[in-house]
Amino acid sequence: MATAAIGTILLTMVASQNVTTSMLIYGDDLDATTAAVMAAGGDVTHELGIIGAVAADLTANERSTLEAQGLEMRSNRSVGVAGVSKSKKIKINKISKADDREWKKAEQKTKKLAKEWEKAAEEAVKAAEKAEKEAEKRRDRAAREQAKQAKEEAKSWERTLKEWNKEWAKDAFLRGTKPTFFPDLITTHDVHDANVTGEGVTIAIIDTGLMTDVGLRQGGKGRSRILSSYDARTDHELRWSEIVRGNDDNGHGSHVAAVAVSSRKIRGQHNGMAPDANLVAVKAFGESGEGTYADVIRGLDYILQNQERFNIRVVNLSFSAEPQSFYWDDPINQAVMRLWQAGIVVVASAGNTGPEAMTIGVPGNVPYVITVGAMTDNYTPEDRSDDRLTFFTAAGTTFEGFVKPDFVAPGGHIRGVMPKYGHIARMYPQFHDGGNYFAMSGTSQSSAVVTGLVALMLQANPDLTPDQVKYRLQVASRPAVDKQGELVFSIFQQGAGLVDAYRAVFPQAADGQANMGLDIDADIEGTAHFRGRANQDAAGNYYLEGLDGFMWNDGFMWNDGFMWSDSLTETMSINTWVPQQ
């Protein structure tokens, strides 16, 4: 009996020694690190040159062997796309029902408008016929000329109505396209009307893959625009035959891409932010929306290595993980800073863990990058007075005292294409219209809005650096204030406010640079790190050092009739940061 028990204990000990854990191992030389891991018996799964590390499956003994050699290690943590969590399913269902009501209202409004136009056309025809009869009766040349003009006007009304109805039927019913509303919330269609549509700029998106959809595959001018599709989990660059079949078994990646670049149209207006931008799709998350640090970092490495090949100017990161270290010590953040250093604009979601303070996730807590929170039109896109922050958007300050998010963008009940066979659509069928569209809320969507906007900015001004892009976006944003001009949301909740596309693409003020006082080269090399000016007083209030009166405060509505004063814009955009000791 005792012998059997001892044997069981020994077998358990041997089994535990053989259990492996995925780790990220840093070294001065990638090849030497790989060789050391293999010599210790570890299984190398990823080479992550962007951060000078490898990922490997190691037993406890193998970890001890490598640690004894002075190699630094981090856990290969899990990370997920920034979708609204299951814990908020009740609120999600409310959003879905309200969204359905909103679509029905929009459809009714459209039908009402069509009837009004039809009535106007009929009245114009009757007026023309009456004028013609009167002219003949009086044999008046001038009257006949007026009657002729009235008749032409009536025909014009009829042609307009016919074309409008034809366009509506083709877009809304035959192709399943529906209004997305969010481009108009931030004046994007005014930018499109100026022939700025993202043409020539490549967006990279790290997410769950891409479905096959004409609005994603083709730009607004009908040209193919997917330059590459890469699976970071298997280290495989897809062939075109694989790309057109689609590889998004979750749906999140397709939805994010649609917000940023969809070229589908309704009533002559694009459904996406940058309909002519090119696209590089990187799949780092599986069917459930979960991924690993190693897969995400390999995806970031792919983007860096192919920056010039595809002219990648901006990358969208609609995922989030809970910070467990200083921003500069996190492996994903280290890779993200490399992209920013290389001249790629990085747009990250703030995360959906709000609304409490200090809930900004990785990589949104990187001070250099553009971090986006979410607002909603409250289901009334035509009424701006009731707009507000979403209930889930994460808030700052960051642990190191930086103001985040940098600003906010539409992120409530956002319509975008999504495969109905995907995991999200199957989990939440009430969101899906049964055809192409899914209504989804999250900072994933708000960051995608800004990613598309950055593509518009870079088409109009190709020489902008990431710091200049961030500065322009901050200056172009407008905060939520009350009728007295007081903030109704803290700057740690809304940053510089709601971004404005037209003001960002066509700025009125002189250019400046964000991140002044920071040194990304020193940060990456580890010779200097930084902290922001945000702090917390004895009563628990958050404030900015040197700016009295700017504390965390509650609010409930939006008013875009007010803007930052010049002094506050200057402070927000080119703050002086201090070294982290």
Side-chain angles (χ1 to χ4, degrees):
M1 192 78 169
T3 303
I6 292 171
T8 300
I9 293 171
L10 290 173
L11 286 172
T12 302
M13 291 175 62
V14 170
S16 65
Q17 289 176 353
N18 291 327
V19 172
T20 61
T21 303
S22 182
M23 303 294 292
L24 306 179
I25 305 100
Y26 291 77
D28 294 332
D29 181 82
L30 198 61
D31 291 336
T33 303
T34 301
V37 171
M38 294 176 67
D43 179 20
V44 175
T45 59
H46 299 68
E47 290 190 355
L48 309 172
I50 192 171
I51 61 171
V54 299
D57 294 329
L58 303 172
T59 65
N61 288 338
E62 290 163 356
R63 291 201 303 273
S64 297
T65 299
L66 294 171
E67 285 172 349
Q69 298 176 29
L71 291 175
E72 185 183 350
M73 274 180 269
R74 304 272 197 286
S75 175
N76 181 20
R77 296 173 57 201
S78 63
V79 59
V81 294
V84 175
S85 67
K86 293 179 184 178
S87 64
K88 295 175 179 175
K89 186 175 180 180
I90 294 175
K91 290 184 179 180
I92 289 174
N93 287 337
K94 288 182 179 178
I95 288 174
S96 177
K97 290 175 182 177
D99 194 48
D100 289 338
R101 288 196 300 270
E102 175 58 34
W103 165 245
K104 287 176 182 176
K105 283 198 298 183
E107 195 171 33
Q108 289 170 358
K109 188 180 292 185
T110 302
K111 289 178 180 178
K112 182 180 178 182
L113 181 62
K115 287 182 178 178
E116 289 176 357
W117 280 25
E118 190 172 356
K119 185 178 179 181
E122 289 175 356
E123 289 176 352
V125 170
K126 289 178 180 177
E129 290 174 350
K130 184 177 179 181
E132 191 172 27
K133 287 179 181 177
E134 286 291 324
E136 285 297 326
K137 186 177 179 180
R138 293 162 49 192
R139 299 185 180 276
D140 188 331
R141 178 177 292 184
R144 282 200 297 270
E145 188 63 32
Q146 289 177 356
K148 184 179 179 182
Q149 290 176 2
K151 199 170 184 179
E152 287 298 319
E153 184 179 343
K155 288 181 179 179
S156 175
W157 266 105
E158 289 180 318
R159 285 194 299 268
T160 301
L161 181 63
K162 185 178 179 181
E163 287 299 315
W164 194 88
N165 280 329
K166 180 181 176 183
E167 185 69 18
W168 170 261
K170 186 176 81 170
D171 282 340
F173 300 107
L174 298 183
R175 294 198 310 182
T177 303
K178 295 180 179 178
T180 51
F181 300 118
F182 64 84
D184 266 341
L185 289 178
I186 58 170
T187 69
T188 309
H189 288 137
D190 293 338
V191 179
H192 293 167
D193 290 343
N195 295 318
V196 178
T197 54
E199 190 170 9
V201 178
T202 301
I203 294 171
I205 297 176
I206 298 183
D207 217 288
T208 63
L210 210 62
M211 69 182 286
T212 174
D213 178 79
V214 66
L216 300 182
R217 292 199 318 271
Q218 294 181 2
K221 298 179 180 178
R223 292 194 291 264
S224 175
R225 47 102 161 272
I226 301 177
L227 305 185
S228 176
S229 184
Y230 171 72
D231 193 330
R233 303 170 308 157
T234 59
D235 192 21
H236 171 61
E237 193 172 82
L238 275 64
R239 299 184 298 274
W240 181 250
S241 59
E242 295 172 306
I243 292 174
V244 296
R245 285 200 301 270
N247 69 337
D248 187 3
D249 47 6
N250 175 272
H252 188 272
S254 298
H255 197 272
V256 165
V259 172
V261 303
S262 178
S263 62
R264 284 175 172 265
K265 278 186 176 183
I266 186 163
R267 297 194 296 277
Q269 294 184 325
H270 290 288
N271 270 190
M273 292 294 296
D276 284 313
N278 292 323
L279 191 59
V280 169
V282 176
K283 184 180 178 72
F285 301 91
E287 182 178 357
S288 66
E290 291 292 319
T292 67
Y293 262 50
D295 288 341
V296 169
I297 295 168
R298 183 151 65 184
L300 293 166
D301 200 354
Y302 176 84
I303 290 170
L304 182 63
Q305 297 304 319
N306 291 279
Q307 176 184 6
E308 294 185 7
R309 176 186 173 195
F310 299 124
N311 188 33
I312 299 172
R313 298 296 310 276
V314 54
V315 58
N316 184 84
L317 306 179
S318 287
F319 56 82
S320 188
E322 183 181 356
Q324 295 189 4
S325 66
F326 291 115
Y327 74 82
W328 59 82
D329 230 14
D330 185 275
I332 284 181
N333 287 352
Q334 292 167 353
V336 164
M337 288 194 290
R338 289 281 186 186
L339 294 187
W340 193 272
Q341 182 190 42
I344 298 175
V345 179
V346 179
V347 182
S349 59
N352 300 329
T353 51
E356 292 77 16
M358 296 189 72
T359 50
I360 299 291
V362 170
N365 66 333
V366 174
Y368 302 95
V369 306
I370 294 167
T371 305
V372 188
M375 56 77 64
T376 174
D377 62 23
N378 208 22
Y379 314 109
T380 56
E382 71 286 348
D383 180 6
R384 307 306 308 278
S385 66
D386 62 351
D387 295 0
R388 56 176 173 78
L389 288 182
T390 59
F391 63 86
F392 52 78
T393 190
T397 174
T398 69
F399 181 78
E400 298 81 13
F402 287 94
V403 175
K404 292 286 181 173
D406 295 296
F407 37 79
V408 297
H413 67 100
I414 301 296
R415 287 191 182 278
V417 297
M418 180 185 287
K420 59 184 177 183
Y421 56 78
H423 176 78
I424 293 178
R426 286 186 283 108
M427 287 290 291
Y428 303 103
Q430 69 271 30
F431 283 170
H432 208 281
D433 66 359
N436 296 305
Y437 280 78
F438 189 88
M440 191 173 189
S441 298
T443 55
S444 290
Q445 284 61 44
S446 57
S447 65
V449 168
V450 173
T451 294
L453 172 52
V454 171
L456 302 179
M457 295 171 68
L458 291 172
Q459 180 195 346
N461 302 276
D463 296 330
L464 290 177
T465 67
D467 287 334
Q468 289 172 327
V469 167
K470 183 176 178 179
Y471 176 88
R472 282 192 177 193
L473 286 166
Q474 286 178 314
V475 173
S477 299
R478 295 171 291 184
V481 295
D482 60 22
K483 293 180 179 179
Q484 287 71 45
E486 300 292 329
L487 294 176
V488 295
F489 296 111
S490 163
I491 59 173
F492 304 119
Q493 294 172 299
Q494 66 170 317
L498 176 63
V499 72
D500 185 281
Y502 194 86
R503 285 158 53 90
V505 176
F506 306 109
Q508 301 300 311
D511 270 338
Q513 291 198 90
N515 300 327
M516 295 292 286
L518 296 177
D519 186 338
I520 195 167
D521 296 330
D523 221 339
I524 289 173
E525 291 301 317
T527 57
H529 300 301
F530 304 89
R531 67 177 178 86
R533 297 179 64 181
N535 216 324
Q536 191 174 18
D537 64 18
N541 295 309
Y542 295 90
Y543 66 95
L544 286 180
E545 296 172 6
L547 288 179
D548 295 335
F550 288 98
M551 292 188 178
W552 185 280
N553 63 312
D554 296 323
F556 56 91
M557 62 186 299
W558 203 285
N559 185 329
D560 62 0
F562 292 87
M563 295 183 288
W564 292 114
S565 66
D566 291 339
S567 59
L568 185 55
T569 298
E570 188 76 3
T571 304
M572 284 295 300
S573 301
I574 49 174
N575 222 330
T576 301
W577 311 110
V578 294
Q580 173 70 40
Q581 301 300 323

